[in-house]
Amino acid sequence: MKIILKQEVSGLGTPGDVVEVKDGYGRNYLLPQGFAIPWSRGAEKQIVTIKRARSAREIRDLGHANEVKGQLEGLSVKLAVRAGEGGRLYGSVTPAEIAEAVQRAGGPAIDRRRLELPGHIKAVGDYKVQIKLHPDVAAVFTVKVTAAK
């Protein structure tokens, strides 16, 4: 099955790539999750817009990725969320909340889809979060989750 990726899928490709996948993987996972659209001649015209949007939010080059990595690793990110007794959260912390907290802490604007969390964050504490800035550069920074008053 030929598909066009709308989002980055690790091990498969980046947005705008046309890839060949097994029918079940495409039909049961990639298409329903919104990661891809079926390939057709008409859909091929959308590749240009997908790639243009990707280039607008992507890290420009390796030097820029290293610069952003330096900013992120020197950053102190604090996130106050509602918590109950014993430090358990009501719900969990999402990548979008972390991306917003990075900007509030004075960091660069980052894409929430590139964040890799160490599992579900459901309790207060310090967590190491990784972000893939470039195929060769990944930054790791600490997010301190505290209970909101």
Side-chain angles (χ1 to χ4, degrees):
M1 167 181 244
K2 232 178 179 181
I3 58 169
I4 301 170
L5 294 177
K6 289 172 47 179
Q7 293 184 19
E8 184 171 346
V9 179
S10 63
L12 196 57
T14 58
D17 290 350
V18 178
V19 293
E20 186 79 30
V21 295
K22 297 214 175 193
D23 290 343
Y25 182 52
R27 190 173 44 248
N28 297 327
Y29 178 68
L30 295 174
L31 296 176
Q33 293 291 328
F35 294 145
I37 56 175
W39 180 88
S40 66
R41 286 196 186 274
E44 184 127 350
K45 294 175 184 165
Q46 291 181 332
I47 292 175
V48 175
T49 58
I50 291 171
K51 287 189 176 186
R52 190 177 310 136
R54 175 179 148 212
S55 67
R57 68 174 179 266
E58 190 171 85
I59 304 293
R60 291 187 295 275
D61 58 5
L62 189 61
H64 185 237
N66 285 324
E67 178 183 316
V68 172
K69 177 182 178 181
Q71 290 175 352
L72 285 173
E73 289 179 344
L75 203 60
S76 174
V77 180
K78 293 184 176 111
L79 188 61
V81 293
R82 287 187 40 196
E85 295 290 323
R88 288 194 43 90
L89 305 183
Y90 295 120
S92 63
V93 176
T94 64
E97 291 172 328
I98 293 173
E100 186 180 308
V102 167
Q103 280 195 298
R104 277 197 314 262
I110 56 175
D111 188 5
R112 65 176 170 74
R113 293 178 289 254
R114 294 185 177 268
L115 287 172
E116 296 175 7
L117 302 180
H120 297 288
I121 299 176
K122 294 187 173 223
V124 298
D126 293 348
Y127 295 91
K128 296 274 186 199
V129 176
Q130 180 176 351
I131 181 168
K132 294 270 297 175
L133 298 169
H134 190 270
D136 300 330
V137 178
V140 178
F141 59 96
T142 303
V143 175
K144 184 174 182 67
V145 178
T146 60
K149 299 204 173 17

